[in-house]
Amino acid sequence: GAGVSQTPSNKVTEKGKYVELRCDPISGHTALYWYRQSLGQGPEFLIYFQGTGAADDSGLPNDRFFAVRPEGSVSTLKIQRTERGDSAVYLCASSPGERGGGYTFGSGTRLTVV
Amino acid sequence: KNQVEQSPQSLIILEGKNCTLQCNYTVSPFSNLRWYKQDTGRGPVSLTIMTFSENTKSNGRYTATLDADTKQSSLHITASQLSDSASYICVCRSNDYKLSFGAGTTVTVRA
């Protein structure tokens, strides 16, 4: 596609539930990143994929968070047993190559845990 | 401690006026510095990107400066327009793929 697409744009879930957030990167971009942005803050790194593999998942806050990119294109961020503190905007970005370059961000998924 | 600090946190300016946003960073090693504009409910969009060897870079009414010695950058907005109302985020990249984001400066342009 022309840009990075994230779905859903908004998600409200109850505490303790499981959610999946989807990211469709720009076609051909091998690198994909997930960031989390809390209100009034800059985005914080969660995980980086190069192709199908998670090259760096050091930003994932705990084991309730998991992300996959099985075919090296679409990625899914999965959050188990959601907590109110997980409420944030989850941003996805993609770039053409291994060493970054032109990052393009999606519009994000606003997750609200009630 | 955040490696990218921005000031002011927010500012209000009248349409047509100029403003300057500041960014101090401690990211090391340093590869490049980017300024992003983020409209409410949207993802960040790149305005400028500068490596350590570049002192200034312009994109229309946006001009960014970089002093790699003092590790400071500024973003100057000339002749502001209502559409400039947004959050402006300073982002540093180290010599790998990671980006370090500042908290942003929220700019409000009023008619």
Side-chain angles (χ1 to χ4, degrees):
Chain A
V4 177
S5 175
Q6 291 188 247
T7 55
S9 56
N10 280 284
K11 175 71 176 178
V12 180
T13 190
E14 292 181 348
K15 179 175 178 292
K17 297 293 186 182
Y18 168 82
V19 296
E20 289 189 353
L21 313 179
R22 176 187 169 106
C23 173
D24 279 272
I26 290 176
S27 178
H29 279 193
T30 60
L32 185 145
Y33 315 79
W34 283 99
Y35 286 82
R36 178 167 70 174
Q37 186 172 23
S38 299
L39 189 64
Q41 300 295 317
E44 294 179 319
F45 171 80
L46 293 177
I47 187 169
Y48 157 60
F49 286 92
Q50 181 56 234
T52 61
D56 184 350
D57 63 358
S58 62
L60 296 178
N62 51 60
D63 61 6
R64 295 186 298 104
F65 288 75
F66 189 70
V68 296
R69 195 186 186 200
E71 299 179 358
S73 177
V74 172
S75 176
T76 305
L77 179 66
K78 308 180 181 190
I79 310 174
Q80 302 178 56
R81 305 184 303 280
T82 52
E83 299 177 357
R84 292 196 177 87
D86 299 335
S87 297
V89 175
Y90 289 82
L91 290 167
C92 176
S94 70
S95 67
E98 182 175 344
R99 287 306 183 189
Y103 294 83
T104 302
F105 283 85
S107 295
T109 293
R110 179 175 296 280
L111 175 66
T112 304
V113 182
V114 298
Chain B
K1 182 177 176 3
N2 196 358
Q3 298 182 74
V4 182
E5 300 287 345
Q6 292 188 241
S7 62
Q9 184 175 15
S10 63
L11 66 91
I12 300 172
I13 58 174
L14 293 177
E15 187 178 14
K17 299 297 185 182
N18 305 335
C19 67
T20 300
L21 317 179
Q22 301 292 340
C23 173
N24 296 339
Y25 65 92
T26 58
V27 171
S28 180
F30 171 80
S31 176
N32 59 54
L33 184 146
R34 309 154 187 250
W35 282 94
Y36 281 84
K37 178 185 179 187
Q38 186 173 23
D39 293 308
T40 301
R42 308 293 296 176
V45 175
S46 180
L47 294 176
T48 64
I49 175 172
M50 291 182 293
T51 65
F52 67 91
S53 61
E54 297 177 286
N55 299 120
T56 186
K57 183 74 68 79
S58 291
N59 177 3
R61 294 180 296 101
Y62 300 103
T63 299
T65 66
L66 174 64
D67 186 333
D69 292 328
T70 61
K71 297 186 177 181
Q72 295 179 328
S73 176
S74 67
L75 180 69
H76 187 76
I77 305 175
T78 304
S80 61
Q81 301 176 359
L82 296 178
S83 59
D84 292 333
S85 294
S87 179
Y88 291 83
I89 305 175
C90 177
V91 185
C92 292
R93 181 182 159 198
S94 58
N95 285 340
D96 58 14
Y97 46 80
K98 285 186 181 177
L99 301 180
S100 296
F101 289 75
T105 294
T106 301
V107 173
T108 303
V109 181
R110 290 188 175 161

